[in-house]
Amino acid sequence: MNHQKNSITEKKFLIPFVLITSLFFLWGFARAILDVLNKHFQNALDITITQSALIQVTTYLGYFLMAIPAGWFINRHGYRLGVVMGLMLFGIGSLMFIPCAALGTFYSFLTALFIIGCGLVFLEVSANPYVTELGAYETATSRLNLSQSFNGMGSLFATFAVGQFLFGEETANDSGSVALPYTILGILVLAIALIFSRVSLPEINHEETAEDKMSGTRIIKLFRHHPMFVFGLFSLLAYEVAEISINSYFMNFVTGEGWMNDNTASIVLTIALAFFMVGRFIGSWIMQRIPAEKTLLICALGSVICMAIILLDFGKISMYAVIANYLFEAIMFPTIFSLSLQGLGNLTKSASSLLMMTPIGGCFFFLMGIIADNTNLIIPFIIPFSGFFIVLLFASELTRKNCGIKNQTSMML
């Protein structure tokens, strides 16, 4: 029995766990391409950092607008059909890059990215909570971190393979070159959608609780009766502001400071994302031994320190601080997500849809771009510093609460 509780998942859930985990690679790839696309369009279309930030704004606006409809769809039709719907939108948006490349205008590409964003939110609203349910409650956070590690692999592959392609001599100034990687991605995603439309995934049902009989919508119940979920929601938003802003700003920062060219910067970003991926694998292992909230507390403190080093402007040391931050921030999304869903029962799917509105925080890169265009390349890091500080407060409160519960339990015994 103890062995089962300490296992990442149970034997009966192994195939669904593997299938769902494969999706994490796909959206990691799709989100990481944006960071390369951002710099490529600055070169090919001669636009500013602020203008290129619309890439993130448009994609994550799709998350924000479709998160609650996605939650409603999944509540009615289940996780599997949520995944199929997400993959179809993802694939269609990717294939739209073919006519967009023919048009050659920046705003046509934004339309395709918005549809991709709508598809990704269906995937994430389905997959993230589903993984936490595929096994023992005690290993939910560790399990989600393991699945999210493959998200890191997707990011790694995107920045290296697509970065090398887009910043090559023949494609560096050709905006239409982005059609090729997106076409390949679209075909692959639609093939995977076909597979998921044919497989059977077990639905996780929760017993009816007294809370289910209370008046009000699921969202009202969450805000009225679950304050730690609300804190987790805002902490996840703060994390997304920090993480997406850093990813999108990274190449502008290291090239703007004169440390390297675009091609080399894409390789260094790949190395940073390798730290990110390794951090999630290590985090998954650590959290089978150390409480998730304590691990989150230590990592949040590490990220706050890294951002402080950058703001103090120690020259090239700042670049190493940004890279080190990838190791610390790696476990934050899955850990905050999982801890925020604890004890929500039948409200889990609705809570997940709210949590998946938080990538709208990526729009704050737009603010970083405005600050960078009007001041210098260091000051914009005040935005991720503030985001990680909020995560630190959330982790501190969770640690305090859980320590209090354990002390009370010890006294009763």
Side-chain angles (χ1 to χ4, degrees):
M1 188 70 178
N2 280 339
H3 172 71
Q4 213 173 39
K5 280 189 176 182
N6 290 329
S7 298
I8 268 298
T9 190
E10 299 169 30
K11 190 174 181 180
K12 64 180 179 179
F13 292 138
L14 185 59
I15 292 175
F17 178 71
V18 171
L19 285 172
I20 290 294
T21 296
S22 69
L23 299 176
F24 285 75
F25 179 93
L26 288 178
W27 79 67
F29 186 94
R31 287 174 64 159
I33 283 182
L34 300 180
D35 307 321
V36 177
L37 205 59
N38 188 284
K39 193 70 174 77
H40 175 68
F41 279 150
Q42 287 176 36
N43 296 341
L45 299 174
D46 193 27
I47 57 177
T48 66
I49 296 175
T50 305
Q51 289 173 309
S52 71
L54 289 172
I55 291 170
Q56 275 72 19
V57 171
T58 304
T59 306
Y60 295 121
L61 186 62
Y63 272 80
F64 185 75
L65 295 178
M66 288 301 293
I68 290 178
W72 174 84
F73 183 91
I74 293 160
N75 267 313
R76 286 179 66 96
H77 301 290
Y79 289 116
R80 184 179 67 86
L81 286 180
V83 167
V84 173
M85 175 64 79
L87 288 169
M88 287 179 64
L89 288 170
F90 184 0
I92 291 167
S94 297
L95 293 178
M96 279 183 64
F97 267 71
I98 299 172
C100 289
L103 290 171
T105 63
F106 180 54
Y107 294 101
S108 64
F109 288 113
L110 295 182
T111 304
L113 288 170
F114 177 77
I115 294 171
I116 290 173
C118 292
L120 294 181
V121 73
F122 269 89
L123 289 184
E124 296 202 48
V125 170
S126 301
N128 281 303
Y130 192 56
V131 164
T132 67
E133 307 265 17
L134 293 176
Y137 164 83
E138 293 82 359
T139 56
T141 303
S142 178
R143 187 164 49 251
L144 186 54
N145 268 280
L146 179 61
S147 292
Q148 286 277 358
S149 300
F150 291 87
N151 176 283
M153 282 187 181
S155 299
L156 197 74
F157 185 70
T159 53
F160 181 73
V162 180
Q164 292 303 294
F165 173 71
L166 292 181
F167 297 123
E169 287 184 14
E170 295 180 4
T171 55
N173 295 306
D174 178 12
S175 64
S177 60
V178 298
L180 179 60
Y182 272 99
T183 301
I184 295 170
L185 182 62
I187 293 169
L188 175 63
V189 165
L190 290 176
I192 295 171
L194 181 62
I195 293 169
F196 269 90
S197 70
R198 302 296 177 89
V199 300
S200 176
L201 293 177
E203 282 296 322
I204 309 297
N205 297 310
H206 298 278
E207 293 181 9
E208 189 177 42
T209 64
E211 189 177 50
D212 294 323
K213 299 174 183 177
M214 295 178 184
S215 62
T217 65
R218 291 184 177 93
I219 292 173
I220 289 172
K221 289 174 185 176
L222 284 166
F223 279 89
R224 184 179 293 166
H225 303 294
H226 298 279
M228 283 310 295
F229 164 76
V230 177
F231 198 174
L233 175 65
F234 285 104
S235 297
L236 196 61
L237 174 62
Y239 164 74
E240 292 281 26
V241 168
E243 187 246 340
I244 297 171
S245 295
I246 290 172
N247 285 347
S248 304
Y249 191 63
F250 184 93
M251 291 186 66
N252 292 294
F253 178 56
V254 296
T255 57
E257 291 286 348
W259 296 326
M260 59 193 73
N261 59 29
D262 292 342
N263 202 352
T264 306
S266 71
I267 295 172
V268 174
L269 179 57
T270 302
I271 293 169
L273 290 169
F275 272 69
F276 189 82
M277 181 187 68
V278 169
R280 280 191 171 162
F281 277 116
I282 294 172
S284 177
W285 178 80
I286 288 174
M287 278 182 273
Q288 292 180 60
R289 293 154 179 82
I290 298 173
E293 64 275 8
K294 288 187 178 177
T295 308
L296 181 62
L297 180 66
I298 294 165
C299 289
L301 182 60
S303 286
V304 167
I305 291 170
C306 287
M307 294 302 105
I309 290 171
I310 297 166
L311 288 169
L312 291 171
D313 194 5
F314 288 112
K316 206 168 184 178
I317 292 175
S318 298
M319 182 181 73
Y320 299 117
V322 176
I323 295 171
N325 174 69
Y326 278 83
L327 188 63
F328 289 116
E329 73 174 14
I331 61 103
M332 290 185 189
F333 179 89
T335 305
I336 297 169
F337 192 97
S338 177
L339 291 174
S340 299
L341 292 180
Q342 285 184 352
L344 296 184
N346 287 325
L347 299 177
T348 299
K349 291 175 182 176
S350 296
S352 175
S353 68
L354 288 176
L355 290 171
M356 285 319 306
M357 293 176 76
T358 58
I360 192 67
C363 294
F364 274 77
F365 173 58
F366 187 77
L367 181 56
M368 285 190 80
I370 293 172
I371 296 171
D373 285 336
N374 290 281
T375 57
N376 60 45
L377 295 170
I378 298 293
I379 293 175
F381 280 96
I382 192 67
I383 292 174
F385 173 86
S386 303
F388 289 130
F389 188 76
I390 292 171
V391 174
L392 180 63
L393 294 178
F394 174 67
S396 301
E397 180 62 13
L398 266 181
T399 303
R400 186 189 67 79
K401 276 183 172 291
N402 288 345
C403 284
I405 291 169
K406 288 176 184 177
N407 289 338
Q408 284 182 351
T409 306
S410 299
M411 287 173 68
M412 288 173 67
L413 294 173

